[in-house]
Amino acid sequence: MINDEYFLAALRLATGNDPIPGHVSAAARDAFGLRVPHSVTAGPAECSAVRGVRDDDGSHLVRFVAAGLTFDLEVSEGDGLIDVAGLISPYPGEGALVDVRTPHLTLTRRIAHTGHFAATGLPPGWISVVCHRPGQAPVQTTWVRIRP
């Protein structure tokens, strides 16, 4: 014998009228809130040897490329937190800023004339970097998951 609740739920699923669970809708709204309007997305690129970025202490090197910019990121873990040391080349210009983002935290940093920046004490998990250049569209990296 079929329970009426299960039968009605099966009918709703079959007709496509089953309501979306609240936690799924909330997660979708949160993800939508992380977008950077009018930005260009930099995708991962091959990174065999990155000049100016270390790889001697178990750190992880990641490279992203788009819109004439290259993002070289060194991500390291210590005490359960993530540190990001980065290089954006070529130098994006005077007044450029970088946001190092997690789903729940954004740290904004000035970019040195050498193209370097750093952000420390981030929680492990998803990270994205956005470069804001005066008078140009922002360039953001895809999200990368960093695990300790």
Side-chain angles (χ1 to χ4, degrees), residues 33 74 78 94 97 115 117 125 137:
E74 173 194 8
E94 191 66 35
L97 297 173
F117 65 92

Side-chain angles (χ1 to χ4, degrees), residues 74 82-86 99-101 107-109 117-122:
E74 173 194 8
I82 303 297
D83 298 331
V84 176
D99 290 336
V100 180
R101 307 181 308 154
L107 300 177
T108 301
R109 300 290 187 252
F117 65 92
T120 60
L122 298 163

Side-chain angles (χ1 to χ4, degrees), residues 30-41 99 101 106 128-133 135-141 143:
D30 290 345
F32 186 73
L34 294 172
R35 77 194 189 295
V36 179
H38 311 293
S39 68
V40 175
T41 301
D99 290 336
R101 307 181 308 154
T106 298
S128 175
V129 175
V130 181
C131 178
H132 299 277
R133 305 172 291 172
Q136 298 183 48
V139 179
Q140 68 177 350
T141 68
W143 287 87

Side-chain angles (χ1 to χ4, degrees), residues 22-95:
H23 72 281
V24 173
S25 295
R29 281 191 298 279
D30 290 345
F32 186 73
L34 294 172
R35 77 194 189 295
V36 179
H38 311 293
S39 68
V40 175
T41 301
E46 193 65 33
C47 178
S48 56
V50 180
R51 291 173 53 181
V53 181
R54 305 181 307 275
D55 189 21
D56 58 356
D57 58 359
S59 60
H60 183 69
L61 301 176
V62 185
R63 175 174 280 173
F64 299 91
V65 177
L69 291 181
T70 299
F71 293 72
D72 289 323
L73 307 178
E74 173 194 8
V75 183
S76 56
E77 184 265 333
D79 296 328
L81 296 174
I82 303 297
D83 298 331
V84 176
L87 170 65
I88 297 178
S89 57
Y91 173 62
E94 191 66 35

